[in-house]
Amino acid sequence: MGPARELLTDWEQQAALVLAQFRMAADEHPADPGFREITGELRSAAPDFARHWERHEVAGYRPVLKQFQHPVAGPLSLRQSKLITADEPRIRPVTRLPADPASAGRLPLLLG
């Protein structure tokens, strides 16, 4: 089991959303062999992947609230947003910022 699955309190919902976004990106670039390669790897490595993939859901990116249960920092609510760089619009860094004062106060616990 991967770290995200262990930390996210709503793993199923978040995984389905990310996969729907991935499918939309794959549909926008049908000639890109990288998407087929990743899809093949996920079919082998992630047991839930095929079930979600067969739903054929697509979604564009939208900012989301992610809820984590971290073993050291405890509960964290982070707002995730995607940025678009001015000089290279294909590069889209993702940021996660505290969604509330309690989460902001717990983030330093992650530094050790």
Side-chain angles (χ1 to χ4, degrees), residues 61 66 79-83 92-96:
Y61 183 84
K66 295 210 177 224
R79 184 152 315 279
Q80 179 174 297
S81 298
K82 187 183 291 188
L83 308 173
R92 298 181 181 170
V94 173
T95 63
R96 290 186 184 141

Side-chain angles (χ1 to χ4, degrees), residues 33-83:
F35 287 102
R36 283 189 300 280
E37 183 180 325
I38 291 169
T39 302
E41 289 174 12
L42 287 170
R43 281 189 189 279
S44 299
D48 296 337
F49 175 80
R51 178 173 49 92
H52 287 291
W53 190 250
E54 297 308 318
R55 292 181 187 165
H56 297 279
E57 294 176 352
V58 294
Y61 183 84
R62 65 179 188 270
V64 301
L65 182 66
K66 295 210 177 224
Q67 304 287 341
F68 297 88
Q69 183 61 43
H70 193 275
V72 173
L76 297 169
S77 293
L78 303 177
R79 184 152 315 279
Q80 179 174 297
S81 298
K82 187 183 291 188
L83 308 173

